[in-house]
Amino acid sequence: MALLVGCVVFGPLASVLLQVRENSRRAICMDHLREIGVQIEDYYEVHNAFPPGWEMPANEDPALPTWGWPSKLVSMTGVTYPTPEDLKQPLDQVLVADDQRMEFVQTYFQGYLCPSDNGLAYDGENHPDRRWVHDGNPVPFGLSMYVGNAGHRHDAVGSEPNTGIFYGNSAVTLADVTDGVSHTIMVGERDLTHCRAGSWPGVPDPMKHDGGPSIWNVVAGAKPKINAPPWDGDTLCGEGFSSLHPGGANVLLVDGSVPFLATDTDTQWQAEPAAGQIGVLQQMMMRNDGQTDVP
């Protein structure tokens, strides 16, 4: 009888301890997003614009990997590489050079990882479909569980403009965020275990949006809902925001605040968005749709 009573008491206690642990992990993830916000602000003060989602060469060669927006922040945190000068060299040239920098672009930083996502699928590397192929072998980039808001246009690749903050050769300014900095998503979480998390160095192929070595390495689109089902097509969680936090995911808004968006956040994606015909999530991922009453 004493053993049975002990089990009955231990069950609720274990549940409370697990919740306390998850609350702590979620708080760390929120702090990571806030720090990313500070780094973006530092970049903005130097360049008078947010970093480009990914760099796109003039010839838009579809086979060449390119630097993404997180690499621009890494260069401002005191690391030896990449410096702003290094970033002037295209990423594909760095990878082909096969020197010590190759090892660095495979490094991951704790500030880009969420402790709630402790599964570290694929032996702590990004999904095999999201690696750059070098000499016939897939090469993993350094992981990031935080991806930028590309906007509403699902198939905007290369240097095509989009309605979010980060896309090909973007240079979005605060003046461009006409819906208000407290209503517009800048960065959000993407879980690694189920949803093919991102990579901080950049994009293996900036001309693709169809799953594999594509733009979704550094950005999320407005088409999938929060915590969409695991990858099974081009509208699910590998292209959106997700997390292993119960019930939703954290996002960083342009004003630097970090709200928690519930899994059931209103989601209605339309190829041609019109007022009153898109969901709350879609409104928050468009910087200039004219909707400023988003909760």
Side-chain angles (χ1 to χ4, degrees):
M1 178 65 70
L3 178 61
L4 179 60
V5 171
C7 291
V8 171
V9 173
F10 181 75
L13 177 60
S15 177
V16 169
L17 291 175
L18 288 173
Q19 184 61 52
V20 169
R21 179 179 298 177
E22 168 53 25
N23 289 345
S24 173
R25 290 171 173 171
R26 179 175 154 188
I28 292 172
C29 293
M30 295 175 73
D31 286 342
H32 287 174
L33 280 169
R34 291 189 186 99
E35 180 58 30
I36 289 172
V38 170
Q39 294 171 6
I40 291 174
E41 183 179 354
D42 290 343
Y43 180 96
Y44 193 100
E45 289 182 0
V46 175
H47 300 277
N48 296 312
F50 297 117
W54 57 87
E55 293 182 334
M56 198 65 220
N59 62 358
E60 300 205 345
D61 190 322
L64 303 180
T66 60
W67 294 110
W69 66 268
S71 68
K72 308 298 183 180
L73 309 184
V74 169
S75 71
M76 303 184 73
T77 58
V79 298
T80 355
Y81 174 83
T83 66
E85 286 299 315
D86 291 317
L87 289 169
K88 293 179 181 178
Q89 182 180 15
L91 178 57
D92 67 282
Q93 294 182 19
V94 170
L95 298 176
V96 170
D98 212 11
D99 57 20
Q100 69 275 10
R101 296 170 302 179
M102 183 78 152
E103 181 178 348
F104 182 76
V105 297
Q106 297 179 62
T107 302
Y108 61 83
F109 301 97
Q110 289 301 320
Y112 285 166
L113 302 177
C114 177
S116 291
D117 196 351
N118 56 9
L120 283 180
Y122 316 112
D123 298 321
E125 299 177 347
N126 54 358
H127 191 280
D129 286 353
R130 293 204 165 162
R131 301 175 189 174
W132 178 65
V133 177
H134 178 51
D135 288 340
N137 298 311
V139 178
F141 285 163
L143 286 175
S144 174
M145 295 178 186
Y146 304 105
V147 288
N149 167 21
H152 186 81
R153 299 188 180 104
H154 182 69
D155 56 355
V157 297
S159 58
E160 296 176 85
N162 211 326
T163 60
I165 306 298
F166 301 107
Y167 48 90
N169 290 344
S170 59
V172 173
T173 68
L174 288 171
D176 297 324
V177 187
T178 57
D179 290 350
V181 294
S182 61
H183 303 299
T184 306
I185 295 174
M186 184 153 58
V187 178
E189 294 181 289
R190 165 94 54 74
D191 90 73
L192 166 68
T193 301
H194 303 299
C195 298
R196 302 185 183 183
S199 303
W200 69 259
V203 175
D205 189 340
M207 297 299 290
K208 288 186 177 180
H209 68 85
D210 55 350
S214 69
I215 62 172
W216 308 122
N217 274 260
V218 296
V219 293
K223 198 171 185 180
K225 60 176 286 187
I226 299 292
N227 284 338
W231 188 274
D232 190 26
D234 67 355
T235 63
L236 300 182
C237 69
E239 298 177 0
F241 294 126
S242 62
S243 82
L244 294 187
H245 309 304
N250 295 307
V251 295
L252 169 70
L253 302 183
V254 176
D255 69 354
S257 61
V258 181
F260 186 74
L261 294 189
T263 299
D264 61 358
T265 298
D266 178 46
T267 302
Q268 300 178 58
W269 184 86
Q270 300 286 335
E272 297 296 333
Q277 296 182 6
I278 58 174
V280 169
L281 177 63
Q282 285 69 38
Q283 293 176 42
M284 295 181 73
M285 294 184 71
M286 297 177 69
R287 66 180 185 273
N288 55 2
D289 71 326
Q291 303 296 306
T292 59
D293 56 349
V294 178

